[in-house]
Amino acid sequence: MLNRRNFLTAAIGVAAAGTLAACAKEDEGSGDSTGSGGSKTITLGFSQVGSESGWRTANSDSVKSAAKEAGYKLQFSDAQQKQENQISAIRSYISQKVDVIAFSPVVVTGWDAVLKEAKAAKIPVVLTDRSVETSDESLYVTLVGSDFTDEGRRAAKILEKVLEKAGHKGAVKIAQLEGTTGAAPAIERAKGFKEVMDADHADDWKIVVSQTGDFTRAGGKQVMAAFLQSNPDINVLYAHNDDMGIGAIQAIEAAGKKPGKDILIVTVDGVKDGFVAMSEGKINAIVECNPLLGPQLMEVVKTVHEGGSVERWIKTKESDFMQDQAKAALPNRKY
Protein backbone atom coordinates (compact mmCIF):
# COMPACT_ATOMS: atom_id res chain seq x y z
CA MET A 1 0.00 0.00 0.00
CA LEU A 2 1.15 3.53 -0.74
CA ASN A 3 1.49 5.95 2.10
CA ARG A 4 -0.48 9.19 2.14
CA ARG A 5 0.46 11.83 -0.39
CA ASN A 6 2.78 14.73 0.05
CA PHE A 7 3.86 17.53 -2.24
CA LEU A 8 6.93 17.22 -4.43
CA THR A 9 7.92 20.74 -5.31
CA ALA A 10 9.85 22.12 -8.23
CA ALA A 11 12.28 25.00 -7.88
CA ILE A 12 10.76 28.35 -7.02
CA GLY A 13 13.45 31.02 -7.23
CA VAL A 14 13.60 34.76 -7.53
CA ALA A 15 16.52 36.93 -8.59
CA ALA A 16 17.12 40.37 -7.08
CA ALA A 17 15.69 43.61 -8.47
CA GLY A 18 17.47 45.11 -11.44
CA THR A 19 18.41 41.78 -12.91
CA LEU A 20 15.13 40.70 -11.45
CA ALA A 21 14.30 37.70 -13.31
CA ALA A 22 13.87 34.56 -12.06
CA CYS A 23 11.72 33.17 -11.96
CA ALA A 24 0.57 20.74 -26.35
CA LYS A 25 -4.87 17.43 -29.70
CA GLU A 26 -3.90 13.81 -29.10
CA ASP A 27 -0.21 13.02 -29.45
CA GLU A 28 0.86 9.55 -28.49
CA GLY A 29 4.37 10.08 -27.53
CA SER A 30 7.22 7.97 -26.38
CA GLY A 31 7.10 4.71 -28.26
CA ASP A 32 7.16 1.13 -27.08
CA SER A 33 10.64 0.60 -25.69
CA THR A 34 10.98 -2.00 -22.99
CA GLY A 35 12.26 -1.29 -19.53
CA SER A 36 15.66 -2.31 -18.26
CA GLY A 37 16.28 -5.93 -17.37
CA GLY A 38 13.45 -7.14 -19.61
CA SER A 39 10.76 -5.95 -17.19
CA LYS A 40 7.35 -4.87 -18.45
CA THR A 41 7.34 -1.37 -19.88
CA ILE A 42 5.39 1.11 -17.74
CA THR A 43 2.56 2.77 -19.65
CA LEU A 44 1.79 6.30 -18.46
CA GLY A 45 -1.32 8.16 -19.50
CA PHE A 46 -0.71 11.91 -19.27
CA SER A 47 -3.30 14.63 -19.86
CA GLN A 48 -1.88 18.12 -20.29
CA VAL A 49 -3.90 21.30 -19.74
CA GLY A 50 -3.12 22.63 -23.20
CA SER A 51 -0.47 24.67 -24.99
CA GLU A 52 -1.57 28.11 -23.91
CA SER A 53 1.86 29.46 -22.97
CA GLY A 54 5.60 29.07 -23.35
CA TRP A 55 5.70 27.56 -19.86
CA ARG A 56 3.20 24.88 -20.83
CA THR A 57 5.14 23.99 -23.98
CA ALA A 58 8.33 23.58 -21.95
CA ASN A 59 6.46 21.47 -19.40
CA SER A 60 5.06 19.16 -22.11
CA ASP A 61 8.50 18.80 -23.67
CA SER A 62 9.96 17.93 -20.27
CA VAL A 63 7.36 15.21 -19.66
CA LYS A 64 7.83 13.70 -23.12
CA SER A 65 11.63 13.68 -23.01
CA ALA A 66 11.73 12.32 -19.44
CA ALA A 67 9.31 9.50 -20.34
CA LYS A 68 11.48 8.59 -23.33
CA GLU A 69 14.60 8.69 -21.18
CA ALA A 70 12.94 6.42 -18.59
CA GLY A 71 11.83 3.96 -21.27
CA TYR A 72 8.13 4.43 -20.52
CA LYS A 73 5.32 4.22 -23.07
CA LEU A 74 3.62 7.62 -22.91
CA GLN A 75 0.04 8.20 -23.98
CA PHE A 76 -0.12 12.02 -24.17
CA SER A 77 -3.21 14.15 -24.71
CA ASP A 78 -3.73 17.92 -24.94
CA ALA A 79 -6.96 19.05 -23.27
CA GLN A 80 -6.95 22.43 -25.04
CA GLN A 81 -7.84 24.04 -21.69
CA LYS A 82 -11.16 22.17 -21.43
CA GLN A 83 -11.96 20.07 -18.39
CA GLU A 84 -14.31 17.82 -20.36
CA ASN A 85 -11.41 16.90 -22.67
CA GLN A 86 -9.28 15.90 -19.70
CA ILE A 87 -12.02 13.80 -18.17
CA SER A 88 -12.50 12.07 -21.52
CA ALA A 89 -8.75 11.42 -21.79
CA ILE A 90 -8.56 9.99 -18.27
CA ARG A 91 -11.50 7.66 -19.01
CA SER A 92 -9.70 6.58 -22.17
CA TYR A 93 -6.60 5.77 -20.13
CA ILE A 94 -8.73 3.75 -17.71
CA SER A 95 -10.22 1.74 -20.57
CA GLN A 96 -6.72 1.17 -21.98
CA LYS A 97 -5.64 -0.12 -18.55
CA VAL A 98 -2.52 2.03 -18.38
CA ASP A 99 -0.26 1.52 -15.36
CA VAL A 100 -0.34 5.10 -14.04
CA ILE A 101 -2.36 8.19 -14.90
CA ALA A 102 -0.94 11.69 -14.48
CA PHE A 103 -2.58 14.98 -15.35
CA SER A 104 -2.32 18.72 -14.82
CA PRO A 105 -5.86 19.79 -13.92
CA VAL A 106 -7.46 22.59 -15.91
CA VAL A 107 -9.41 23.70 -12.83
CA VAL A 108 -9.50 22.74 -9.16
CA THR A 109 -12.96 21.21 -8.81
CA GLY A 110 -15.09 18.58 -10.56
CA TRP A 111 -12.77 15.57 -10.52
CA ASP A 112 -14.28 13.20 -7.95
CA ALA A 113 -16.30 11.04 -10.35
CA VAL A 114 -13.49 10.26 -12.78
CA LEU A 115 -10.94 9.83 -9.99
CA LYS A 116 -13.26 7.29 -8.34
CA GLU A 117 -13.38 5.42 -11.64
CA ALA A 118 -9.58 5.30 -11.74
CA LYS A 119 -9.43 4.09 -8.15
CA ALA A 120 -12.00 1.37 -8.87
CA ALA A 121 -9.81 0.24 -11.78
CA LYS A 122 -6.83 0.20 -9.39
CA ILE A 123 -4.89 2.72 -11.48
CA PRO A 124 -2.92 5.21 -9.36
CA VAL A 125 -3.27 8.89 -10.24
CA VAL A 126 -0.52 11.50 -9.88
CA LEU A 127 -1.24 15.21 -10.17
CA THR A 128 1.32 17.42 -11.88
CA ASP A 129 1.79 21.18 -11.66
CA ARG A 130 -1.71 21.91 -10.30
CA SER A 131 -3.77 20.70 -7.34
CA VAL A 132 -7.42 19.66 -7.04
CA GLU A 133 -10.08 19.90 -4.37
CA THR A 134 -11.65 16.52 -3.65
CA SER A 135 -13.89 14.98 -1.02
CA ASP A 136 -11.51 12.00 -0.73
CA GLU A 137 -7.76 12.58 -0.78
CA SER A 138 -7.12 8.87 -1.33
CA LEU A 139 -8.31 9.35 -4.92
CA TYR A 140 -4.84 10.53 -5.96
CA VAL A 141 -1.39 9.61 -4.75
CA THR A 142 0.63 12.82 -4.78
CA LEU A 143 1.26 16.16 -6.45
CA VAL A 144 4.45 17.03 -8.33
CA GLY A 145 4.37 20.80 -8.57
CA SER A 146 5.18 24.24 -7.21
CA ASP A 147 3.91 26.35 -4.34
CA PHE A 148 1.78 28.91 -6.21
CA THR A 149 0.77 30.76 -3.04
CA ASP A 150 4.41 31.39 -2.25
CA GLU A 151 4.96 32.58 -5.83
CA GLY A 152 2.25 35.19 -5.20
CA ARG A 153 3.95 36.26 -1.99
CA ARG A 154 7.27 36.52 -3.80
CA ALA A 155 5.69 38.62 -6.52
CA ALA A 156 4.46 41.10 -3.90
CA LYS A 157 7.83 41.20 -2.13
CA ILE A 158 9.70 41.70 -5.37
CA LEU A 159 7.28 44.49 -6.34
CA GLU A 160 8.44 46.30 -3.23
CA LYS A 161 11.97 46.28 -4.66
CA VAL A 162 10.76 47.31 -8.11
CA LEU A 163 8.92 50.31 -6.65
CA GLU A 164 11.93 51.29 -4.58
CA LYS A 165 14.28 51.03 -7.57
CA ALA A 166 11.89 53.10 -9.70
CA GLY A 167 11.69 55.76 -6.98
CA HIS A 168 7.93 55.48 -6.93
CA LYS A 169 6.10 57.69 -4.48
CA GLY A 170 2.40 57.76 -3.68
CA ALA A 171 -0.45 55.36 -4.28
CA VAL A 172 0.19 52.05 -6.01
CA LYS A 173 -2.72 51.30 -8.35
CA ILE A 174 -2.45 47.68 -9.42
CA ALA A 175 -4.05 45.89 -12.36
CA GLN A 176 -4.07 42.12 -11.96
CA LEU A 177 -4.20 39.75 -14.93
CA GLU A 178 -5.48 36.48 -13.48
CA GLY A 179 -4.92 33.02 -14.88
CA THR A 180 -7.71 30.70 -15.97
CA THR A 181 -10.72 31.03 -13.68
CA GLY A 182 -10.82 28.16 -11.19
CA ALA A 183 -7.25 27.02 -11.91
CA ALA A 184 -4.97 26.44 -8.92
CA PRO A 185 -2.20 28.85 -10.01
CA ALA A 186 -4.72 31.64 -10.60
CA ILE A 187 -6.36 31.16 -7.22
CA GLU A 188 -3.14 30.74 -5.25
CA ARG A 189 -0.99 33.39 -6.96
CA ALA A 190 -3.74 35.92 -6.27
CA LYS A 191 -4.04 34.70 -2.67
CA GLY A 192 -0.31 34.93 -1.90
CA PHE A 193 0.02 38.40 -3.41
CA LYS A 194 -2.97 39.69 -1.46
CA GLU A 195 -1.61 38.24 1.80
CA VAL A 196 1.48 40.42 1.56
CA MET A 197 -0.42 43.41 0.24
CA ASP A 198 -2.96 43.32 3.08
CA ALA A 199 -0.34 42.73 5.75
CA ASP A 200 2.26 45.28 4.66
CA HIS A 201 0.66 47.72 2.23
CA ALA A 202 -2.98 48.15 3.22
CA ASP A 203 -2.62 51.94 3.12
CA ASP A 204 -0.78 52.46 -0.15
CA TRP A 205 -1.42 49.47 -2.46
CA LYS A 206 -4.77 48.77 -4.11
CA ILE A 207 -5.82 46.31 -6.79
CA VAL A 208 -8.08 48.60 -8.77
CA VAL A 209 -9.02 46.10 -11.48
CA SER A 210 -8.61 42.32 -11.83
CA GLN A 211 -9.76 39.93 -14.56
CA THR A 212 -8.74 36.66 -16.18
CA GLY A 213 -6.59 36.69 -19.29
CA ASP A 214 -6.74 32.87 -19.39
CA PHE A 215 -2.92 32.55 -19.27
CA THR A 216 -2.66 33.57 -22.97
CA ARG A 217 -0.97 36.47 -24.76
CA ALA A 218 -4.14 37.29 -26.69
CA GLY A 219 -6.11 37.33 -23.45
CA GLY A 220 -3.53 39.53 -21.74
CA LYS A 221 -3.56 42.02 -24.60
CA GLN A 222 -7.35 42.21 -24.82
CA VAL A 223 -7.95 42.53 -21.09
CA MET A 224 -5.14 45.04 -20.55
CA ALA A 225 -6.56 47.25 -23.31
CA ALA A 226 -9.89 47.24 -21.45
CA PHE A 227 -8.12 47.98 -18.16
CA LEU A 228 -6.46 51.04 -19.63
CA GLN A 229 -9.78 52.31 -20.93
CA SER A 230 -11.51 52.00 -17.56
CA ASN A 231 -8.52 52.81 -15.33
CA PRO A 232 -6.00 54.98 -17.22
CA ASP A 233 -4.12 55.81 -14.01
CA ILE A 234 -2.90 52.20 -13.42
CA ASN A 235 0.80 52.29 -12.52
CA VAL A 236 1.50 48.60 -11.75
CA LEU A 237 0.61 45.37 -13.53
CA TYR A 238 0.78 42.00 -11.78
CA ALA A 239 0.31 39.20 -14.34
CA HIS A 240 -0.04 35.58 -13.25
CA ASN A 241 2.22 34.46 -16.10
CA ASP A 242 4.70 35.88 -18.59
CA ASP A 243 2.53 35.32 -21.65
CA MET A 244 -0.29 37.50 -20.35
CA GLY A 245 2.29 40.10 -19.36
CA ILE A 246 3.77 40.09 -22.87
CA GLY A 247 0.31 40.51 -24.37
CA ALA A 248 -0.35 43.36 -21.95
CA ILE A 249 2.85 45.09 -23.06
CA GLN A 250 1.41 45.30 -26.58
CA ALA A 251 -1.74 46.98 -25.25
CA ILE A 252 0.27 49.38 -23.08
CA GLU A 253 2.41 50.45 -26.03
CA ALA A 254 -0.67 50.84 -28.24
CA ALA A 255 -2.04 53.22 -25.60
CA GLY A 256 1.08 55.37 -25.88
CA LYS A 257 2.57 54.35 -22.54
CA LYS A 258 5.96 52.82 -21.74
CA PRO A 259 5.84 49.35 -20.15
CA GLY A 260 8.36 49.02 -17.35
CA LYS A 261 8.33 52.78 -16.75
CA ASP A 262 4.84 54.29 -16.90
CA ILE A 263 3.46 50.95 -15.76
CA LEU A 264 5.74 48.74 -13.69
CA ILE A 265 5.28 45.05 -14.51
CA VAL A 266 5.79 41.91 -12.41
CA THR A 267 4.99 38.49 -13.88
CA VAL A 268 5.40 34.81 -13.01
CA ASP A 269 7.09 31.93 -14.91
CA GLY A 270 10.43 32.76 -16.52
CA VAL A 271 10.06 31.79 -20.17
CA LYS A 272 12.52 33.00 -22.79
CA ASP A 273 10.25 35.71 -24.19
CA GLY A 274 9.76 37.01 -20.66
CA PHE A 275 13.52 37.40 -20.28
CA VAL A 276 13.71 39.15 -23.64
CA ALA A 277 11.05 41.64 -22.51
CA MET A 278 12.93 42.17 -19.27
CA SER A 279 16.22 42.73 -21.11
CA GLU A 280 14.41 45.47 -23.03
CA GLY A 281 13.19 47.05 -19.79
CA LYS A 282 9.55 46.25 -20.48
CA ILE A 283 9.12 43.75 -17.61
CA ASN A 284 10.61 44.77 -14.28
CA ALA A 285 10.65 41.42 -12.49
CA ILE A 286 9.79 37.77 -13.04
CA VAL A 287 9.15 35.17 -10.35
CA GLU A 288 10.37 31.74 -11.40
CA CYS A 289 8.06 28.77 -11.79
CA ASN A 290 10.06 25.83 -13.07
CA PRO A 291 8.31 23.83 -15.85
CA LEU A 292 10.85 20.99 -15.91
CA LEU A 293 8.81 18.53 -13.85
CA GLY A 294 9.30 15.54 -16.16
CA PRO A 295 12.23 13.82 -14.43
CA GLN A 296 10.62 14.10 -10.97
CA LEU A 297 7.31 12.86 -12.37
CA MET A 298 8.98 9.77 -13.86
CA GLU A 299 10.64 9.00 -10.53
CA VAL A 300 7.25 9.19 -8.84
CA VAL A 301 5.60 7.04 -11.53
CA LYS A 302 8.23 4.36 -11.02
CA THR A 303 7.82 4.46 -7.24
CA VAL A 304 4.03 4.35 -7.49
CA HIS A 305 4.07 1.51 -10.01
CA GLU A 306 6.33 -0.51 -7.73
CA GLY A 307 4.08 0.11 -4.73
CA GLY A 308 6.58 2.30 -2.89
CA SER A 309 6.04 5.30 -0.66
CA VAL A 310 6.00 8.85 -2.01
CA GLU A 311 5.57 10.49 1.38
CA ARG A 312 8.35 13.01 1.06
CA TRP A 313 9.15 16.51 -0.11
CA ILE A 314 11.54 17.19 -2.96
CA LYS A 315 13.00 20.61 -3.60
CA THR A 316 15.48 21.28 -6.37
CA LYS A 317 17.94 24.12 -6.58
CA GLU A 318 17.29 26.95 -8.99
CA SER A 319 17.07 25.16 -12.30
CA ASP A 320 19.51 24.96 -15.19
CA PHE A 321 16.48 25.79 -17.33
CA MET A 322 16.29 29.28 -15.90
CA GLN A 323 19.97 29.92 -16.50
CA ASP A 324 19.72 28.63 -20.07
CA GLN A 325 16.72 30.90 -20.72
CA ALA A 326 18.52 33.91 -19.28
CA LYS A 327 21.63 33.21 -21.35
CA ALA A 328 19.56 33.02 -24.53
CA ALA A 329 17.80 36.29 -23.76
CA LEU A 330 20.77 38.14 -22.29
CA PRO A 331 23.82 36.76 -24.15
CA ASN A 332 26.20 39.48 -22.95
CA ARG A 333 25.50 38.97 -19.28
CA LYS A 334 28.18 37.19 -17.23
CA TYR A 335 27.15 34.09 -15.23
Side-chain angles (χ1 to χ4, degrees):
M1 288 291 291
L2 293 166
N3 291 341
R4 293 291 295 275
R5 82 204 32 75
N6 216 324
F7 292 94
L8 293 91
T9 61
I12 305 169
V14 184
T19 359
L20 288 172
C23 139
K25 203 170 173 170
E26 271 304 303
D27 173 17
E28 294 187 2
S30 296
D32 301 304
S33 57
T34 57
S36 60
S39 59
K40 177 182 177 294
T41 300
I42 294 174
T43 299
L44 170 64
F46 183 86
S47 177
Q48 181 60 281
V49 170
S51 52
E52 76 285 354
S53 65
W55 191 99
R56 191 63 55 190
T57 299
N59 180 244
S60 293
D61 290 345
S62 177
V63 170
K64 291 176 181 179
S65 63
K68 183 176 181 180
E69 177 83 16
Y72 299 167
K73 181 178 179 181
L74 178 66
Q75 304 292 344
F76 185 97
S77 65
D78 181 336
Q80 299 177 332
Q81 293 183 275
K82 296 179 180 179
Q83 184 178 34
E84 59 268 29
N85 290 349
Q86 281 200 308
I87 291 173
S88 177
I90 292 168
R91 287 186 169 138
S92 174
Y93 298 149
I94 293 170
S95 68
Q96 293 174 49
K97 299 180 180 180
V98 301
D99 297 302
V100 180
I101 293 171
F103 74 108
S104 181
V106 175
V107 293
V108 171
T109 59
W111 302 103
D112 279 25
V114 73
L115 291 179
K116 286 176 181 177
E117 292 170 28
K119 184 177 181 179
K122 298 182 179 180
I123 300 174
V125 175
V126 177
L127 305 180
T128 70
D129 176 39
R130 300 178 176 185
S131 61
V132 300
E133 292 177 2
T134 177
S135 61
D136 180 1
E137 290 190 345
S138 72
L139 295 178
Y140 67 94
V141 178
T142 195
L143 164 66
V144 181
S146 301
D147 186 336
F148 299 132
T149 303
D150 193 56
E151 290 171 358
R153 296 186 192 108
R154 289 169 182 261
K157 298 303 290 185
I158 212 166
L159 176 57
E160 294 174 337
K161 296 179 181 180
V162 168
L163 290 164
E164 180 182 359
K165 187 174 188 297
H168 180 86
K169 304 295 182 184
V172 178
K173 299 181 179 180
I174 303 168
Q176 179 174 229
L177 276 170
E178 305 167 21
T180 303
T181 301
I187 294 168
E188 295 167 19
R189 286 172 183 164
K191 176 185 174 183
F193 188 91
K194 193 171 186 303
E195 282 181 9
V196 174
M197 186 179 76
D198 290 349
D200 300 336
H201 302 284
D203 295 333
D204 57 334
W205 291 16
K206 183 179 180 181
I207 296 176
V208 296
V209 63
S210 184
Q211 186 176 321
T212 179
D214 211 25
F215 283 129
T216 67
R217 293 191 191 191
K221 180 179 180 180
Q222 180 180 359
V223 175
M224 190 67 196
F227 285 173
L228 291 168
Q229 286 287 327
S230 61
N231 294 273
D233 56 348
I234 292 165
N235 49 33
V236 169
L237 170 65
Y238 168 42
H240 288 184
N241 78 340
D242 291 343
D243 282 80
M244 289 190 297
I246 291 166
I249 285 169
Q250 297 171 15
I252 293 167
E253 291 177 330
K257 295 177 180 288
K258 293 183 178 180
K261 293 184 178 179
D262 297 329
I263 299 178
L264 303 174
I265 300 176
V266 174
T267 64
V268 182
D269 271 355
V271 301
K272 180 180 177 181
D273 287 353
F275 279 109
V276 171
M278 192 177 60
S279 73
E280 296 170 344
K282 297 179 179 181
I283 291 179
N284 302 89
I286 303 173
V287 177
E288 180 192 356
C289 180
N290 185 353
L292 303 185
L293 303 177
Q296 293 184 40
L297 174 59
M298 299 313 146
E299 290 179 16
V300 172
V301 167
K302 182 176 186 293
T303 301
V304 167
H305 182 61
E306 293 175 351
S309 169
V310 292
E311 193 169 11
R312 59 195 176 117
W313 284 74
I314 293 177
K315 282 196 176 184
T316 64
K317 295 179 180 178
E318 191 166 333
S319 64
D320 291 339
F321 166 82
M322 299 305 298
Q323 187 127 129
D324 291 343
Q325 294 284 63
K327 286 178 180 177
L330 308 171
N332 296 321
R333 176 179 164 188
K334 293 182 179 179
Y335 293 86

